[in-house]
Amino acid sequence: MCGIVGYVGQQNASSVILEGLKRLEYRGYDSAGLAVLQDGKLEVAKHIGRVEVLAKAAAPHRFHGTTGIGHTRWATHGGVTDANAHPHVSSDGKFALIHNGVIENYGQIKKFLLSRGYTFKSETDTEVLCNLIAYHYAKEPAGGQGGFPLLECVRKTLRHVEGTYGIAVLGIDFPDEMVAARKASPLILGVGDGENIIASDASALIGRTRNVVYLNDGELARVPPRNFTVSTLDQTDVSPVVDQITWSVQDADIDGHAHFMEKEIFEQPQALENTMRGRFSADGSTAQFGGLNLTPAEFRQVDRLQFCACGTAWHACLVAEHLIERFARLPVEVDYASEFRYRNSPLDRNTLFFVISQSGETIDTLGAMREAKRKGYRVLAFNNVVGSSIAREADGGIYQHVGPEIGVASTKAFTSQLMLGAMLALYLGRLRDLSFNDGVEYVNALKAAPGLVRRVLEQAPHIRAIAQRFAAASDFLFLGRLSLHPIALEGALKLKEISYIHAEGYPAAEMKHGPIALVSEKCPSVFFAVKGEIFNKVVSSMQEIKARKGPIIAIATEGAELPPGLADEVIPIPDCHEAVLPIVASIPVQLLSYYIAVERGCDVDKPRNLAKSVTVE
Ligand code: F6R
């Protein structure tokens, strides 16, 4: 979603901001803009389209100031127009502001400001903020002649605001500072040497500093080049904690790949190693986690688990449900975070709550987590982004450790979430009835996962050829059973989000109850046909598709005996332990979707309408 970069220091602010905005492009946006303080004025450029368009307009000779703010906008209130792009400037020309989030009571505020003579140029909710800051500045004793500090005007403004925000503000009477504030929209302060940066995402500032302060909800920062301060809406000073980002700028680089998505697909063996590192017991029979903050005895009190997440992470919850119920014999509920937070579902007393979120900023997942905590439940999280809102608000959790995921379509974060779900199932199973020997076998199987994934990745050229054959299809079905039903859902999601082909995931046997109506020569079905007790049932479902002339792509266990001629294409995957199977089976659908999207000329890393981290409801 929208991205924020602000700079105050000694360098040309527009260059630093444009560099940061380029690194935020992956979040999804439709317009970009920046404002720089120079010669006692605000110089502004903003345009619909890519950051390159903005970069052309913001030539360094025009933008020479050393304090500035920049933004990439993903439209919520108001269409995609130059006027609606950020920064917005107050009608008296004194303040510029960028904003992520939604101001819910902007209608009332706008009415008030109009009655006081302020004017508006855009249809956005954001523009009320800069005008309200201007109003507070002008109202103060000295009549805006050096009266109230910028920080206080912003603070007063935010006290009237309902909704969510991450903002950065400049004022022409405050040449060497910016003010930033957040509520439910991430904001990080990068602390440099004689310079400071504000960003909505660490990747925007990692090229300049690794020392960061994660602002908390309800906090404001006054940011000059040195000696920033943090305080709350009710004027309490906060002692900021400076953290270190552990990954490097290279981790966020494309590294010779055509797309970040391709890079991240091929990084998965290493990512899985990183997720597992140091997390098995010395006797090799179970998993161990440092940050769950629950003792084994407390885990034994748990009767039920509730998982919540969105999108791909929700699919990871479904796989965790399968494995935990199978190996730990504990009942698991899975809910969409967006539904859970409003449907007031009855929860058993001894329920342990888990949320899964790569970004740790998805507003619905955060909302579900807060709702569970409000009801007194303990909430644990699987999360990739260190210092994210979910990581900080959870009662405990497990970091995925897969490095930054830049491709909008999640790949390495997903398989790492599958790995953590499998490890959790093992841990809980070993606290109950899973034997030592079964535990050892399970651990060895997990340790083998990176190697198995590597073997599937070697089939990339074969999968690319299949993608070329079917890239013109208008519909796809993805069909799998048991733990591979969520992978069928994930395959369908991956394909539709990056190639814009209509795709549906279903449990293979459910296909007869509706989706079979879609089947034709133009609608390929991707089947997971893996060895085991339901193999023959899946083969029967394949026969039913074949009888209706539907092309079949079978992702089948090596050596599985499919009737000759049943599948039009076969992608073999290694035979493996049930806990690892969803991980291994994910790779072919990721590659298939990726190559189909490339074949169709789609912008894989920036799919239309999508955002990497969904920070609005
Ligand atoms: C799809 C995808 C999304 C995310 C979802 C949740 O490829 O990436 O469906 O999984 O928006 O995001 P996180 O995990 O950041 O909460």
Side-chain angles (χ1 to χ4, degrees):
M1 301 237 130
C2 308
I4 282 180
V5 188
Y7 176 83
V8 50
Q10 326 304 323
Q11 306 295 315
N12 179 309
S14 67
S15 308
V16 178
I17 290 166
L18 286 166
E19 170 71 28
L21 292 181
K22 280 210 82 54
R23 291 196 173 275
L24 292 184
E25 283 195 294
Y26 77 98
R27 294 172 63 101
Y29 69 103
D30 42 55
S31 45
L34 59 82
V36 169
L37 268 175
Q38 55 191 38
D39 309 326
K41 286 196 316 246
L42 284 162
E43 190 72 25
V44 180
K46 49 187 195 171
H47 295 278
I48 60 170
R50 296 278 181 227
V51 173
E52 295 96 79
V53 180
L54 175 67
K56 283 196 189 115
H61 66 271
R62 188 179 147 204
F63 285 81
H64 55 80
T66 57
T67 304
I69 52 178
H71 191 259
T72 46
R73 173 176 188 248
W74 188 89
T76 55
H77 290 64
V80 180
T81 64
D82 287 353
N84 288 340
H86 300 208
H88 291 285
V89 177
S90 56
S91 58
D92 63 6
K94 290 189 172 177
F95 298 93
L97 176 141
I98 51 179
H99 168 224
N100 291 356
V102 174
I103 305 302
E104 286 163 9
N105 61 338
Y106 80 100
Q108 281 158 272
I109 300 176
K110 188 166 180 174
K111 208 164 151 195
F112 168 78
L113 289 166
L114 284 168
S115 75
R116 301 296 160 121
Y118 289 85
T119 57
F120 292 82
K121 295 194 188 81
S122 77
E123 306 149 338
T124 65
D125 53 331
T126 300
E127 201 177 355
V128 298
L129 294 178
C130 46
N131 273 333
L132 195 55
I133 292 168
Y135 164 78
H136 283 297
Y137 187 61
K139 194 171 110 185
E140 292 314 324
Q145 305 300 309
F148 254 54
L150 179 57
L151 179 68
E152 293 316 316
C153 298
V154 175
R155 200 188 321 263
K156 280 169 185 284
T157 294
L158 295 179
R159 286 197 187 128
H160 294 285
V161 160
E162 286 161 25
T164 58
Y165 52 80
I167 57 168
V169 191
L170 302 179
I172 56 168
D173 295 335
F174 306 92
D176 288 317
E177 71 174 82
M178 56 188 167
V179 168
R182 72 158 272 180
K183 182 180 165 203
S185 227
L187 218 47
I188 304 170
L189 170 59
V191 186
D193 185 10
E195 62 179 24
N196 287 313
I197 306 177
I198 278 284
S200 50
D201 182 323
S203 50
L205 50 77
I206 186 75
R208 300 197 76 81
T209 179
R210 287 187 179 206
N211 300 324
V212 295
V213 174
Y214 297 102
L215 290 185
N216 289 310
D217 269 359
E219 288 181 354
L220 299 94
R222 178 179 171 271
V223 192
R226 294 175 201 278
N227 303 327
F228 64 91
T229 56
V230 180
S231 54
T232 62
L233 271 183
D234 61 10
Q235 272 177 301
T236 309
D237 289 340
V238 173
S239 300
V241 179
V242 180
D243 280 302
Q244 279 253 317
I245 295 175
T246 50
W247 48 274
S248 70
V249 74
Q250 285 77 27
D251 291 325
D253 277 345
I254 200 154
D255 200 19
H257 286 269
H259 299 97
F260 279 105
M261 184 178 177
E262 183 192 50
K263 177 189 178 219
E264 288 158 7
I265 288 174
F266 282 89
E267 270 175 1
Q268 288 178 104
Q270 188 57 52
L272 290 167
E273 300 278 8
N274 294 348
T275 301
M276 285 188 284
R277 185 162 302 115
R279 288 179 169 159
F280 292 115
S281 62
D283 69 359
S285 77
T286 190
Q288 59 185 21
F289 304 104
L292 293 180
N293 301 331
L294 281 180
T295 62
E298 285 170 316
F299 268 112
R300 287 289 324 201
Q301 301 303 312
V302 172
D303 294 333
R304 185 174 284 275
L305 296 165
Q306 169 76 53
F307 277 76
C308 279
C310 300
T312 287
W314 182 76
H315 299 154
C317 296
L318 295 178
V319 175
E321 173 186 29
H322 179 89
L323 295 178
I324 292 167
E325 291 192 342
R326 165 97 172 77
F327 289 101
R329 310 299 300 157
L330 262 172
V332 179
E333 294 282 331
V334 177
D335 216 340
Y336 286 114
S338 52
E339 292 296 302
F340 175 85
R341 61 187 294 199
Y342 292 112
R343 79 189 180 89
N344 197 17
S345 61
L347 295 174
D348 283 358
R349 197 154 44 120
N350 294 330
T351 299
L352 179 60
F353 216 88
F354 270 89
V355 291
I356 301 185
S357 174
Q358 186 285 129
S359 62
E361 300 295 350
T362 301
I363 197 89
D364 284 320
T365 311
L366 198 53
M369 171 172 155
R370 287 177 178 159
E371 174 64 4
K373 286 184 70 139
R374 188 190 64 75
K375 289 185 170 179
Y377 288 91
R378 215 189 277 238
V379 182
L380 306 181
F382 297 177
N383 169 228
N384 189 38
V385 178
V386 176
S388 65
S389 301
I390 286 177
R392 282 178 298 138
E393 289 187 32
D395 296 301
I398 316 174
Y399 277 124
Q400 298 179 228
H401 293 314
V402 299
E405 187 178 68
I406 309 280
V408 166
S410 184
T411 52
K412 65 175 179 176
F414 176 59
T415 48
S416 140
Q417 290 161 355
L418 298 182
M419 175 57 85
L420 289 181
M423 293 173 77
L424 183 65
L426 167 66
Y427 177 72
L428 296 172
R430 289 285 291 128
L431 289 181
R432 289 173 172 74
D433 301 325
L434 199 68
S435 72
F436 175 82
N437 284 346
D438 287 345
V440 170
E441 188 192 332
Y442 195 123
V443 168
N444 289 337
L446 294 183
K447 287 184 177 166
L452 299 179
V453 166
R454 236 173 242 118
R455 270 173 58 194
V456 183
L457 288 171
E458 282 164 12
Q459 296 192 60
H462 171 52
I463 297 173
R464 181 168 209 154
I466 298 174
Q468 283 161 349
R469 178 172 170 189
F470 292 106
S474 50
D475 303 275
F476 257 85
L477 290 177
F478 286 80
L479 302 162
R481 295 191 70 160
L482 303 177
S483 68
L484 297 183
H485 165 226
I487 308 306
L489 296 176
E490 174 63 5
L493 177 66
K494 236 38 349 154
L495 185 67
K496 66 188 145 198
E497 66 183 333
I498 57 170
S499 74
Y500 319 136
I501 296 175
H502 166 238
E504 297 201 24
Y506 260 87
E510 270 295 303
M511 168 272 298
K512 293 186 292 295
H513 301 282
I516 198 165
L518 291 173
V519 170
S520 75
E521 283 146 331
K522 293 196 184 118
C523 173
S525 294
V526 179
F527 272 94
F528 293 100
V530 294
K531 280 184 185 164
E533 55 184 345
I534 42 112
F535 178 75
N536 289 336
K537 310 270 180 212
V538 173
V539 169
S540 299
S541 300
M542 292 165 82
Q543 301 278 17
E544 286 151 15
I545 297 278
K546 198 72 196 166
R548 287 157 185 85
K549 299 195 168 39
I552 291 178
I553 301 166
I555 297 171
T557 321
E558 282 164 0
E561 298 207 350
L562 288 172
L566 181 59
D568 297 81
E569 297 283 357
V570 178
I571 305 172
I573 56 171
D575 200 0
C576 56
H577 191 282
E578 225 180 305
V580 175
L581 180 61
I583 298 173
V584 172
S586 296
I587 311 303
V589 292
Q590 293 173 349
L591 286 169
L592 189 66
S593 306
Y594 172 69
Y595 288 129
I596 288 177
V598 170
E599 197 59 29
R600 290 167 72 101
C602 298
D603 193 347
V604 173
D605 283 336
K606 299 181 203 101
R608 71 181 179 212
N609 305 337
L610 293 183
K612 181 67 185 159
S613 161
V614 181
T615 51
V616 294
E617 273 197 64

